[in-house]
């Protein structure tokens, strides 16, 4: 029995050794084939506008922690959409502070200003998308959260049209439109930019989960805006709300922007993004990915 056991053990070790040798030979052939394929590929070969992504770990590159990713995304998107919720819920008070005319006319004008931010959102996504592809995702995300935080602060301090001691006439309405446009630009690059950055920085099994965080944060921010406006409306009189109640609501959102910027200043570019941009630039003479896609893949870009 002992001889039979030793013979089976020897046969098992021999089989494993042959399998390992076969795996090594297959790996060497695969690497050799890849090198031959790279040598035979012409330099001017045009490929899809999609970036080639190299998957791997770069031990020399600092990585962003999972906690910093989540917190920066949550606070950024909450702030972006908190201001939208506050503006919509305080539309009556804002219309009285910045517009003159009949009641219906004031409401239509204030909702027109509210809609301005949505009209400029595609432009914000375009501009911040180009910035993110050229200079890095972290820079575009920092720009978006700073722009939104400063916009909220400026709105809370804006003089009015003809209400209160700090009224400057129609110029206040123009300033409000300009600030709302800046908010729309920042929102256009925030949600998709943060979603891309999070997906690029987490393992494969977490990609579907983290991609839901920006949208969930945006919805939560809108709800928080309505909640704050409900509390302020219950505590203050109509005159107080028109004078300074809506300002208080916008001012309460500024700390979220500070927290978001603090965490985003600690983030680093992902290895996936950095290696993809490096390979794309080397192959296409540092041409920007967007303009390359416009030239070579216009149908896929617009679809």
């Amino acid at each position: 029995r002992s001889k039979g056991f030793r013979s089976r053990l020897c046969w098992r070790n021999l089989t494993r050794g042959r399998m390992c040798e076969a795996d090594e030979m297959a790996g060497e052939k695969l690497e050799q084939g890849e090198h031959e394929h790279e040598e035979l590929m012409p330099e001017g070969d045009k490929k899809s506008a999609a970036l080639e992504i190299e998957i791997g770990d770069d031990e020399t590159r600092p990585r962003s922690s999972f906690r910093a990713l989540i917190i920066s995304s949550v606070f950024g998107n909450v702030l972006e959409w908190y201001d939208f919720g506050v503006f919509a819920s305080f539309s009556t008070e804002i219309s009285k502070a910045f517009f003159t005319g009949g009641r219906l006319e004031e409401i239509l004008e204030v909702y027109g200003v509210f809609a301005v931010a949505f009209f400029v959102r595609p432009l914000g996504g375009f501009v911040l998308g180009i910035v993110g592809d050229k200079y890095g995702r972290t820079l575009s995300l920092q720009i978006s959260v700073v722009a939104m935080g400063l916009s909220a602060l400026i709105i809370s301090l804006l003089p009015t049209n003809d209400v209160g001691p700090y009224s400057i006439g129609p110029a206040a309405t123009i300033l409000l439109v300009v600030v709302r446009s800046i908010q729309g630009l920042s929102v256009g690059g925030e949600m998709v930019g943060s979603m891309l950055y999070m997906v690029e920085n987490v393992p494969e099994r977490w990609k579907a989960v983290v991609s839901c965080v920006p949208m969930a944060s945006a919805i939560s921010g809108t709800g928080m805006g309505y909640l704050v406006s409900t509390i302020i409306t219950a505590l203050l009189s109509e005159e107080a709300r028109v004078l300074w109640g809506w300002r208080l609501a916008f001012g309460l959102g500024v700390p979220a922007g500070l927290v978001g910027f603090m965490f985003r200043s600690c983030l680093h570019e992902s290895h996936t993004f950095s290696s993809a941009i490096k390979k794309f630039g080397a192959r296409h003479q540092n041409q920007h990915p967007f303009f390359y896609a416009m030239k070579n893949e216009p149908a896929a870009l617009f679809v």
Side-chain angles (χ1 to χ4, degrees):
R1 293 176 60 182
S2 61
K3 290 181 179 180
F5 174 76
R6 286 197 299 271
S7 62
R8 287 196 300 271
L9 182 62
C10 293
W11 173 255
R12 184 180 302 174
N13 292 335
L14 179 62
T15 305
R16 288 181 178 177
R18 291 177 178 175
M19 291 176 63
C20 294
E21 291 177 359
D23 291 341
E24 292 177 358
M25 294 177 63
E28 292 176 356
K29 290 181 179 180
L30 180 61
E31 292 178 357
Q32 183 178 0
E34 290 178 351
H35 290 305
E36 291 177 356
H37 177 69
E38 292 179 355
E39 292 176 358
L40 294 175
M41 183 181 295
E43 294 181 358
D45 185 21
K46 293 184 178 181
K47 290 190 173 183
S48 171
L51 298 178
E52 294 184 4
I53 297 178
E54 177 184 344
I55 300 176
D57 291 331
D58 189 358
E59 299 297 338
T60 62
R61 183 181 299 278
R63 299 179 183 177
S64 303
S65 67
F66 188 75
R67 179 182 299 177
L69 287 174
I70 297 296
I71 294 177
S72 65
S73 177
V74 167
F75 275 90
N77 285 280
V78 164
L79 171 63
E80 303 277 355
W81 291 96
Y82 168 83
D83 285 356
F84 276 72
V86 168
F87 194 97
S89 59
F90 279 107
S91 57
T92 302
E93 290 79 5
I94 294 175
S95 66
K96 293 180 180 179
F98 288 94
F99 300 97
T100 58
R103 187 75 188 92
L104 178 60
E105 183 181 353
E106 290 178 355
I107 290 295
L108 291 177
E109 287 173 343
V110 75
Y111 277 117
V113 176
F114 180 74
V116 165
F118 288 93
F119 285 117
V120 299
R121 276 183 64 190
L123 179 61
F126 173 76
V127 173
L128 290 178
I130 289 180
V131 172
D133 288 340
K134 181 68 175 179
Y135 302 103
R137 309 281 195 220
T138 56
L139 178 61
S140 65
L141 292 176
Q142 290 172 6
I143 292 174
S144 66
V145 73
V146 169
M148 199 67 182
L150 288 177
S151 300
L153 179 61
I154 292 172
I155 289 180
S156 67
L157 300 175
L158 274 180
T160 61
N161 190 335
D162 59 354
V163 174
Y166 304 106
S167 58
I168 60 174
T173 305
I174 297 174
L175 291 175
L176 180 64
V177 173
V178 171
V179 178
R180 283 294 297 169
S181 300
I182 295 174
Q183 286 185 328
L185 292 172
S186 63
V187 167
E190 170 64 31
M191 181 176 293
V192 178
S194 61
M195 191 179 299
L196 281 174
Y197 184 79
M198 294 184 70
V199 169
E200 290 173 350
N201 278 275
V202 297
E204 189 70 28
R205 65 180 182 274
W206 287 102
K207 292 185 184 297
V209 176
V210 299
S211 63
C212 303
V213 172
M215 179 60 71
S217 303
I219 297 173
S220 301
T222 306
M224 289 178 61
Y226 281 106
L227 177 62
V228 169
S229 65
T230 301
I231 296 173
I232 293 177
T233 302
L235 296 177
L236 300 179
S237 64
E238 182 178 359
E239 182 180 0
R241 294 198 305 270
V242 173
L243 287 176
W244 57 272
W246 60 271
R247 299 179 185 274
L248 175 62
F250 278 104
L252 291 175
V254 176
L258 295 176
V259 175
F261 177 75
M262 179 182 67
F263 277 94
R264 288 185 179 183
S265 62
C266 301
L267 299 179
H268 305 281
E269 297 297 338
S270 66
H271 172 68
T272 299
F273 172 76
S274 301
S275 60
I277 287 295
K278 183 178 179 180
K279 292 174 66 176
F280 185 90
R283 172 166 292 178
H284 302 291
Q285 291 78 39
N286 292 323
Q287 186 179 11
H288 195 281
F290 174 79
F291 299 110
Y292 175 85
M294 283 285 294
K295 180 180 179 180
N296 297 279
E297 302 286 347
L301 178 66
F302 286 104
V303 169

